[in-house]
């Protein structure tokens, strides 16, 4: 079992977890509340610009007690939590019309063997591990074709980074989000995580 104690609003203590509680009969458990530490930083695109409206979740390792936050207009985030080990992920559904250098859809989370250990307040920027893919669409004669929409499947990669942590993730341009379209030169830029060892991308025009 993991026991979670949530102090009342305004308390100087953080939500505190007690891990690996095992018993076979009646037992007593003592849970000591902890002073909070801060995890803060920015979510950045591959060019170093802050990404707004990206969702970040954090939960004590081995639990589903998630706390969520959305980055501000400069990509900033900040959590106050008890010292301990944590799961962390960032995801978003980005509309191409927003002009962000980020996948339309992605999910990035620290690997099972790479917990985020917080013993003191920590600053950690998260740069999305996306690569620019410039797609040119042309007719059979080689002439550019404008206003062609692009979608992709998602591709899973277990060899990414989430800040300083080993991470898994996937990205795509799904058909259920408004797709990007080629310009007058037949070009459009997509931002995608490199594919991993298990599958590849399929581009659909």
């Amino acid at each position: 079992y993991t026991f979670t104690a949530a102090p009342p609003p305004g308390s100087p203590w953080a939500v505190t977890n007690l891990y690996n509680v095992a018993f076979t009969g009646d037992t007593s458990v003592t849970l000591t509340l902890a002073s909070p530490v801060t995890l803060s930083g920015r979510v950045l695109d591959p060019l170093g610009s802050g990404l707004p409206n990206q969702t970040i979740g954090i939960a004590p390792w081995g639990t589903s007690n998630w706390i969520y936050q959305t980055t501000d207009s400069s990509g900033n985030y900040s959590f106050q939590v008890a010292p301990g080990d944590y799961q962390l992920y960032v995801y978003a559904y980005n509309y191409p019309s927003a002009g962000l250098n980020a996948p339309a859809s992605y999910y990035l989370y620290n690997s099972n063997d790479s917990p985020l250990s917080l013993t003191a307040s920590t600053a950690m920027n998260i740069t999305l591990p996306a690569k620019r893919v410039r797609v040119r669409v042309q007719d059979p004669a080689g002439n550019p074709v404008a206003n062609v929409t692009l979608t992709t499947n998602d591709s899973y990669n277990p060899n990414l980074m989430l800040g300083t942590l080993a991470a898994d993730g996937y990205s795509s341009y799904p058909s259920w989000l408004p797709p990007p379209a080629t310009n007058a030169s037949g070009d459009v830029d997509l931002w995608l995580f490199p594919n991993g060892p298990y599958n590849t991308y399929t581009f659909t025009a």
Side-chain angles (χ1 to χ4, degrees), residues 56-146:
I56 298 184
I58 187 170
W61 194 255
T63 79
S64 57
N65 299 330
W66 290 97
I67 303 170
Y68 299 98
Q69 193 176 105
T70 301
T71 58
D72 67 14
S73 59
S74 298
N76 293 297
Y77 73 91
S78 181
F79 294 98
Q80 281 199 320
V81 295
D85 291 344
Y86 286 88
Q87 307 166 77
L88 187 69
Y89 75 85
V90 57
Y91 76 92
Y93 302 122
N94 294 308
Y95 287 80
S97 59
L100 301 179
N101 298 324
S105 173
Y106 73 87
Y107 193 94
L108 184 66
Y109 53 97
N110 54 326
S111 304
N112 289 335
D113 58 353
S114 183
L116 172 63
S117 295
L118 294 175
T119 58
S121 293
T122 300
M124 184 176 73
N125 289 338
I126 299 168
T127 300
L128 294 189
K131 304 298 181 183
R132 189 204 315 261
V133 182
R134 179 157 292 170
V135 181
R136 175 182 168 84
V137 179
Q138 60 188 27
D139 66 19
N143 301 307
V145 182

Side-chain angles (χ1 to χ4, degrees), residues 26-80:
D26 294 344
T27 189
S28 295
V29 174
T30 298
L31 199 159
T32 302
L33 294 175
S35 297
V37 296
T38 300
L39 172 68
S40 61
R42 300 174 70 203
V43 177
L44 305 171
D45 70 20
L47 304 180
S49 299
L51 286 169
N53 302 316
Q54 312 297 291
T55 300
I56 298 184
I58 187 170
W61 194 255
T63 79
S64 57
N65 299 330
W66 290 97
I67 303 170
Y68 299 98
Q69 193 176 105
T70 301
T71 58
D72 67 14
S73 59
S74 298
N76 293 297
Y77 73 91
S78 181
F79 294 98
Q80 281 199 320

